[in-house]
Amino acid sequence: MRKVITYGTYDLFHEGHRRLLERAKKLGDYLIVGVTTEAYDEVRGKLNVRQSLMERVAQVQASGLADEVIIEEYEGQKINDIQKHNVAIFAIGSDWLGKFDYLNDYCEVIYLDRTKGVSSTELRNAEGILNIGIAGTGRIAKRFVSEARFVSGVDIIGAYSRNSANVNNFVNEFELALPANNYNELLDSVDAIYIATPHNTHKDYALKALNRGKHVLCEKPMALTEACVAELQCAAANNNVVLLEGIKTAFSPGFNRLITYAKSGVIGKILAVDATFTKLTDGKPRELQKKQGGGSFFELGSYPLLVILKLLGKDYSKISAVQYLPDNAEVELYSRVEVLYPNAIGSARTGLGVKSEGDLVISGTKGYIYVPAPWWKTEYFEVRFENSNENRKFFYKFDGDGLRYELANFVNMIRAKKMQTYQLSFDDTKWIARVLEQSQSHMHVIK
Ligand code: CTP
């Protein structure tokens, strides 16, 4: 029997997929189709897949062309599959021409002409491109435009900032169509808005956008108080639009694996989570200014609080905090916030102009997990035990600055009309805002 194998995502199964499978099947007597997992697609940069793995598998099966469907989970799996299933021919569309020549060592490689005029990307985009505007033209806004190029189905069309010279420079630098003269002009031209203004202004920008029926992706912290976050969430629900806080770590593949792995019981009961994020600063950026909602904990605390929340839950009993606030500074430059639970403790440390090891340690009764700096861009973690022979290392891909994961998630929510995501629910965002707010009133100050 001559076995043929082929692989793909098969999102929104279309005529091009069907024709490829038909021709692949004719090359032999038995066709094996490999369908990629969500995790593998994320790793290879395909961030906008619409359908779940099970839906995609069901469609390939329903085509009646596959004799066997397998799941493709990791880079290099094709070599194993070909040997394991004793495959004679590997077939793939001509968009991959030359890319799989290395498989010639294991079987015959055939590139089949791609069907013209149809692709999953086009079908996804047929629902229309999502036009996004940016409020704010600072450092993070610049990174966002660069990262958006990796997410299909979106177009960053313009920007607004109070300083019109900044807007003009920004749109020129990134070749955007609309240098908005005022915020309303930007809102009128977009489906969604990314808010990257100083923290103290997030709420007003977000509220205006939501009340005009625009989806909002808002940089962290979404607002400076829990009440403001709740008000925004209400506005989002009333206007039936998506509101998401931009804590990029929450959407990255490695971080999600880390959380589920830690929660699986492998290190026993989790007793402590210690997470640090510090940054050195130049000059007097907005994060060092009181009126702009600055301070190390407002600037960076969302990341350690996210991991504490995900691992220890919402029901803490007390918060205790120490901050370093020298006489010549407007805002605290280092914070150590302890979130105390009945049976566990979370410790969040942040610094601006104070540098420390930016790692994450999750301590359990059977072992611990160590994530080296920068743990908030989780690429690697190690599970360690008393008996070091049992230690294990895990590696993941984290592309670019990571904003692409948060944007892809935001876009997928809008497309699927899903108002909340388990990765960062409304309650999660509110909890983080609550601890940020409460920590300020429980501070013990050192000078
Ligand atoms: N394919 C094809 N003709 C098309 C589209 C896809 O022959 N018009 C082939 C691909 O070359 C591949 C298989 O179908 O061998 C599965 O491709 P997949 O990546 O799932 O589909 P695309 O439509 O190319 O997806 P995307 O637009 O997301 O890249």
Side-chain angles (χ1 to χ4, degrees), residues 9-10 14 16-17 20 46 93 95 114-115 118-121 124:
T9 305
Y10 303 102
H14 55 68
H17 293 143
L20 184 113
K46 232 178 181 178
D95 43 327
R114 206 176 143 86
T115 307
V118 59
S119 74
S120 303
T121 304
R124 289 190 291 261

Side-chain angles (χ1 to χ4, degrees), residues 51-88:
Q51 293 180 304
S52 71
L53 172 63
M54 297 313 281
E55 285 172 304
R56 292 180 285 117
V57 166
Q59 290 169 160
V60 170
Q61 283 167 333
S63 75
L65 293 163
D67 295 291
E68 186 176 344
V69 175
I70 61 170
I71 306 301
E72 188 184 23
E73 295 177 277
Y74 60 92
E75 186 100 49
Q77 185 184 322
K78 292 183 180 77
I79 293 177
N80 284 344
D81 289 343
I82 289 166
Q83 296 177 101
K84 187 165 127 194
H85 295 278
N86 207 4
V87 165

Side-chain angles (χ1 to χ4, degrees), residues 48 125 128-134 144-145 148-159 174-178 186 189-194 407 410-411 415:
N48 282 104
N125 290 349
I129 297 281
L130 195 78
N131 286 328
I132 301 185
I134 303 187
F144 185 82
V145 188
R149 305 214 160 112
F150 297 93
V151 180
S152 63
V154 300
D155 195 8
I156 309 290
I157 62 153
F174 296 103
E175 297 173 356
L176 309 182
L178 177 68
L186 183 65
S189 324
V190 299
D191 306 299
I193 196 99
Y194 171 61
L407 177 58
F410 178 61
V411 173
R415 297 288 189 211

